């Protein structure tokens, strides 16, 4: 039982390059999330997927796209990377939402992305 | 939109003293307010949560209080130890979507031996 697995753990990109961060969970959770963490800024929600087949924007969606491939997998794509997207990206999953009684988020180890 | 404010941003205490971190939220239809701890270089992990049908919840040296009328909740750590040093985040579920968890900006707690 690996929990939430993210790949890659580290990535260096040049401005304008594209890449996809992969995330998979093996806890049969319905909801999945992508956050970014910048120093002093806390965790900011990029996109989330309440259930398979749905995705919604979070606080900072510009410059990103997501795909909920199936119940297990939720990927984050940067189409044209910019230096402002240098950050640590965390994927997370939960069984349900805040009103469901099962809202605990389980995080992956994070992916450190640097855009030059 | 939804907003969670957290204070202080940094907190330094002597080992054995208590630490209090406070959060306010702008609006929420959720009854669930979690606290996460993030050690340096690691992922955030849930340490305690509270639902609006209770005003206080304790787990050993950690307690959380909630005042839903005033829209604020607090984390209390008693008898602090060096291993409590970490960044702590409060969070609240968004009003529009109860699946949208918004975090505060974090409090860096340093416990001096």
């Amino acid at each position: 039982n690996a929990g939430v697995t993210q790949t890659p753990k580290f990535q260096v990109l040049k401005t304008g390059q594209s890449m996809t961060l992969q995330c998979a969970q093996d806890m049969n959770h319905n909801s999945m999330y992508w956050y970014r963490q910048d120093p002093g800024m806390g965790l900011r929600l990029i996109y989330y997927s309440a259930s398979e087949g749905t995705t919604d924007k979070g606080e900072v969606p510009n410059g990103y796209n997501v795909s909920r491939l199936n119940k297990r997998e939720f990927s984050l794509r940067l189409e044209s990377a910019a230096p402002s997207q240098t950050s640590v990206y965390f994927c997370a999953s939960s069984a349900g939402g805040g009103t469901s009684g099962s809202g605990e988020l389980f995080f992956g180890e994070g992916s450190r992305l640097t855009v030059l | 939109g939804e907003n969670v404010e957290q204070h202080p941003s940094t907190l330094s205490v002597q080992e054995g003293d208590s630490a209090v971190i406070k959060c306010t939220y702008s609006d929420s239809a959720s009854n669930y307010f979690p606290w996460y701890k993030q050690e340096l270089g690691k992922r955030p992990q849930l340490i305690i949560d509270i639902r609006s049908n209770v005003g206080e919840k304790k787990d050993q040296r950690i307690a959380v209080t909630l005042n839903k009328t005033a829209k604020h909740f607090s984390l209390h750590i008693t008898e602090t130890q060096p291993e409590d040093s970490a960044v702590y985040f409060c969070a609240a579920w968004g009003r529009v979507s109860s699946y949208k968890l918004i975090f505060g900006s974090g409090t860096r707690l340093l416990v001096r031996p």
Side-chain angles (χ1 to χ4, degrees):
Chain A
N1 190 343
V4 179
T5 303
Q6 293 180 231
T7 56
K9 289 186 169 51
F10 301 93
Q11 183 72 49
V12 178
L13 292 177
K14 294 181 179 179
T15 297
Q17 288 185 318
S18 62
M19 76 157 299
T20 300
L21 297 175
Q22 307 285 355
C23 176
Q25 51 91 10
D26 61 3
M27 296 174 281
N28 199 35
H29 283 170
N30 291 316
S31 304
M32 298 186 74
Y33 312 81
W34 276 105
Y35 287 89
R36 61 177 288 176
Q37 184 173 36
D38 304 317
M41 294 295 290
L43 293 154
R44 292 186 292 172
L45 182 63
I46 304 171
Y47 271 93
Y48 65 102
S49 171
S51 61
E52 185 179 358
T54 68
T55 60
D56 286 285
K57 295 179 180 179
E59 302 169 272
V60 288
N62 291 344
Y64 305 95
N65 285 302
V66 291
S67 295
R68 184 74 183 266
L69 304 171
N70 47 54
K71 191 172 186 179
R72 290 186 64 249
E73 300 173 285
F74 189 40
S75 63
L76 178 72
R77 182 161 179 83
L78 286 70
E79 291 290 351
S80 179
S84 60
Q85 294 178 304
T86 294
S87 189
V88 178
Y89 291 84
F90 285 99
C91 177
S93 70
S94 68
T99 56
S100 71
S102 55
E104 178 180 357
L105 260 61
F106 294 83
F107 286 85
E109 291 183 309
S111 298
R112 186 175 296 275
L113 175 65
T114 301
V115 183
L116 303 176
Chain B
E2 299 86 356
N3 186 47
V4 178
E5 294 190 358
Q6 183 172 347
H7 301 281
S9 57
T10 59
L11 181 58
S12 180
V13 300
Q14 194 71 37
E15 182 178 359
D17 288 349
S18 295
V20 180
I21 302 170
K22 299 181 179 181
C23 287
T24 60
Y25 57 101
S26 58
D27 200 354
S28 176
S30 174
N31 296 322
Y32 178 68
F33 304 92
W35 285 88
Y36 286 79
K37 176 183 180 181
Q38 185 179 28
E39 297 177 351
L40 188 62
K42 297 192 176 180
R43 72 190 87 185
Q45 291 188 300
L46 181 73
I47 55 171
I48 195 168
D49 55 23
I50 192 167
R51 302 188 183 278
S52 63
N53 57 344
V54 296
E56 182 177 9
K57 182 179 179 180
K58 290 183 178 180
D59 183 3
Q60 300 181 7
R61 297 185 296 107
I62 294 173
V64 57
T65 58
L66 171 66
N67 183 330
K68 199 169 184 186
T69 302
K71 293 190 177 67
H72 67 72
F73 55 114
S74 300
L75 178 70
H76 304 253
I77 306 174
T78 58
E79 301 173 19
T80 54
Q81 301 168 3
E83 53 264 37
D84 294 330
S85 296
V87 179
Y88 292 82
F89 294 97
C90 61
W93 290 91
R95 181 178 67 87
V96 175
S97 167
S98 67
Y99 293 90
K100 189 176 177 180
L101 185 61
I102 303 299
F103 284 84
S105 55
T107 297
R108 184 174 299 278
L109 174 64
L110 174 65
V111 181
R112 307 186 305 273

